[in-house]
Amino acid sequence: MMADRWAQAVRQQLGFGRLLPLGGPGDGAWITEVAAAGALRRSAAAVSGVRLGSLRLAPADPDGSYTSVVPAPPSALPPGPLRIGAECAATADEPLPRAAARLREALEQAARDGLGLVVAEVDLQVTALLDAEPEREEKPESAPAPAEESAADGDEGRVARAAQGVAGVVRLTGALGGLGRAVHIEETSAPAALAHRHVRVELAVSSSHRALDVARAVREAVSTALTDGPSVAVLVTEVTP
């Protein structure tokens, strides 16, 4: 039974893709690649005359030295700028560079204003021509991660309740690791003058709120909820329409 749970956890984590930085080194926030890509695709779907194909987010400066102010989630990318690589198809109703420019602008705006990603480059290639305006199909959303129930008491419960009280938080999600825990509290080896505990909170946010702003507010709420002033990281695992 335990082996099955761990196998499921591995499959689920692989399905999230990379853990991308939200904001900069001082923000202590990350988002799963699948959540970010889903939000970008929804924005691209509103652009007429084009159809988005493959989409990939990766570090724009893989050799750069970027360090977060808080411990990162396991296997997360460091908080450096990102590069969006994408392919699309477009109709011949207007010059292809103009169609690509409109889609590039939509992706940049969604990444910046909708999520809070720091994007240094959008590499967009038109790989096919469309005979007609693409149909706007409603794609079913992937199954959400199980919701985390607040503990009745204890620090995990205080953290959960503080996070759930922040505007834009849809629910807590026990996603990373697949063990159903949205709040992770661990001791750190930091010097005595610094935080000796670290908290990671995993959650889903509403697309009506900028994901980075929600993460910042959650970090502040959690820090206030615990008297010892731990370091706090936030991982956004879903962006719900």
Side-chain angles (χ1 to χ4, degrees):
M1 181 66 70
M2 182 60 70
D4 291 342
R5 290 185 65 187
W6 278 111
Q8 181 181 2
V10 170
R11 288 193 297 270
Q12 185 179 43
Q13 188 164 345
L14 289 175
F16 292 144
R18 300 181 178 191
L19 303 187
L20 309 171
L22 268 177
D27 288 307
W30 284 262
I31 185 171
T32 63
E33 185 176 10
V34 68
L40 295 180
R41 285 188 178 280
R42 286 193 291 271
S43 295
V47 180
S48 62
V50 294
R51 183 177 64 207
L52 184 63
S54 65
L55 177 68
R56 180 68 168 164
L57 296 99
D61 182 16
D63 298 324
S65 177
Y66 304 95
T67 304
S68 171
V69 296
V70 302
S75 72
L77 293 176
L82 298 171
R83 172 185 177 276
I84 298 176
E87 296 180 348
C88 72
T91 64
D93 294 341
E94 63 179 328
L96 296 181
R98 187 179 302 170
R102 290 191 296 107
L103 179 56
R104 182 179 294 107
E105 182 180 0
L107 291 173
E108 289 177 337
Q109 183 175 5
R112 180 185 65 245
D113 300 336
L115 297 175
L117 297 175
V118 177
V119 176
E121 178 186 1
V122 178
D123 182 10
L124 187 60
Q125 295 183 329
V126 180
T127 57
L129 285 175
L130 298 173
D131 294 331
E133 176 73 20
E135 295 182 4
R136 304 302 169 185
E137 297 181 359
E138 291 292 333
K139 294 186 177 181
E141 296 293 323
S142 57
E148 164 79 2
E149 295 183 2
S150 301
D153 51 22
D155 284 350
E156 287 192 8
R158 281 186 279 274
V159 169
R161 288 188 289 273
Q164 288 170 327
V166 172
V169 174
V170 175
R171 64 181 174 276
L172 304 188
T173 59
L176 191 62
L179 299 180
R181 291 177 55 212
V183 177
H184 303 258
I185 302 177
E186 59 186 25
E187 299 293 326
T188 71
S189 57
L194 302 176
H196 67 280
R197 288 201 301 173
H198 177 64
V199 179
R200 185 178 79 245
V201 186
E202 301 169 16
L203 48 83
V205 303
S206 169
S207 61
S208 62
H209 291 70
R210 188 170 179 247
L212 177 58
D213 295 338
V214 176
R216 287 170 172 168
V218 168
R219 291 187 67 214
E220 182 177 355
V222 170
S223 295
T224 302
L226 299 182
T227 58
D228 62 335
S231 60
V232 181
V234 172
L235 173 61
V236 176
T237 62
E238 298 174 43
V239 179
T240 64

